[in-house]
Amino acid sequence: MVRIAANRLSAAVEYRATQNEIAQERWFASPRDIDDLTVGAIGSNRSLDQLQKKSEYLERVMSGAVQLYLYQPDRDRIVEMIGNPSASTTNSVTYVPGTFSNQYSFYTGEVQQVGSWLNGQDPNMVVFVWHGGEFPGQRPGTTQVDGLLAANEAPLALKTGGGLAAFQKEVATDPHLTSARHDAIAHSWGLATTTASELKGARYDNVVSLSGAWMPPGGEGQSNTAYSHYTYTDFLTVAKDLDLVDAGNVPDTNPAFTKPLGDPIPTHGDWTLTLPTSSSPYAGSEPVRIPMNTGMLKLWLTLGLL
């Protein structure tokens, strides 16, 4: 694709700039004697680690191992494409991560687990991991409290959802994807911007909520879209039960969403789950044992089986 090739060139330019930043960080992080005074580490080890992860990621982009559909690092916009659109593509999936996601979430591989697993199960599925607008808590200097408060603001979700809608419309017109099913998988705050994108004109065959947070005013679901919600008990669940999350417009109680698992998912230990094939296109037929201590995303990627 032309976009992928162009972003590979953009990645090469960014890679060279990143190498210069790494060199500067290492220089500042090295103690130096000036007039018999030792100047300690001025640089940030965390910053250096982030830059190194970014460098490694961009090397994979330049080699073709990672495909970027969109890459504007100065605007913190990045969309990774997993899989290759073709005449045999059956499903185009847009995965939207949650609160505090940013471009560094891609560099560490944090947000691609669901998409990589899905494509690994079915190579005829193409997954776009989308971060094409402002997410809560991504601005420098933002505290966790600031991010959580921003995650409950409808104007931000609608603004970012507008960008997602534009992206989704573009994907739907791709010659290789026009006959494919178009689905969305949204984690946490990602559901707010995904359902906001519907208000801005986006259309999906399926919307899967992975512990999705809430929907903006008017987000009641589209008549030709199937909605399902998988959840677990945590702080967000409690907040939703107390109507502290967007005045109660949440997938736990919204009638558009089915809850294939019934009760909230337990938060400890291993458990065995059989997903019925009839209730959701994202359900498997075999029992699945999930070790919960391997992280929430590994849980969700298992639930995401097509």
Side-chain angles (χ1 to χ4, degrees), residues 211 231-238 241 263-267 296 300:
S211 193
T231 188
Y232 61 102
T233 303
D234 68 346
F235 170 80
L236 178 60
T237 310
V238 175
D241 289 342
D263 295 329
I265 297 168
T267 55
M296 280 307 304
W300 298 138

Side-chain angles (χ1 to χ4, degrees), residues 3 18 62 73 78 90 109 118 142 146 157 162 173 182 217 220 222 233 287-288 292-293:
R3 274 182 171 272
T18 303
M62 292 187 294
I78 178 172
T90 56
L118 288 173
T142 301
D146 292 335
T173 61
H182 293 272
E220 300 301 329
Q222 303 293 324
T233 303
V288 178
M292 297 299 291
N293 59 2

Side-chain angles (χ1 to χ4, degrees), residues 170-291:
E170 183 176 319
V171 167
T173 61
D174 185 293
H176 294 306
L177 300 176
T178 52
S179 61
R181 295 180 64 87
H182 293 272
D183 305 325
I185 301 178
H187 176 238
S188 189
W189 183 82
L191 182 65
T193 197
T194 298
T195 50
S197 75
E198 292 182 299
L199 296 177
K200 300 291 186 177
R203 293 293 178 266
Y204 307 97
D205 291 296
N206 294 280
V207 172
V208 179
S209 161
L210 305 182
S211 193
W214 53 276
M215 292 83 71
E220 300 301 329
Q222 303 293 324
S223 59
N224 295 323
T225 301
Y227 297 86
S228 54
H229 175 57
Y230 300 93
T231 188
Y232 61 102
T233 303
D234 68 346
F235 170 80
L236 178 60
T237 310
V238 175
K240 287 190 286 190
D241 289 342
L242 295 174
D243 284 347
L244 298 177
V245 179
D246 198 58
N249 190 15
V250 296
D252 305 69
T253 56
N254 189 297
F257 286 83
T258 61
K259 296 177 64 179
L261 302 184
D263 295 329
I265 297 168
T267 55
H268 321 286
D270 292 352
W271 54 282
T272 301
L273 165 69
T274 301
L275 296 174
T277 55
S278 59
S279 65
S280 169
Y282 289 87
S285 57
E286 298 298 324
V288 178
R289 180 168 294 279
I290 303 171

Side-chain angles (χ1 to χ4, degrees), residues 11-31:
V13 173
E14 187 69 14
Y15 175 80
R16 290 191 290 271
T18 303
Q19 293 306 301
N20 291 333
E21 291 183 77
I22 289 174
Q24 292 174 2
E25 283 289 331
R26 285 176 173 165
W27 190 90
F28 282 123
S30 301

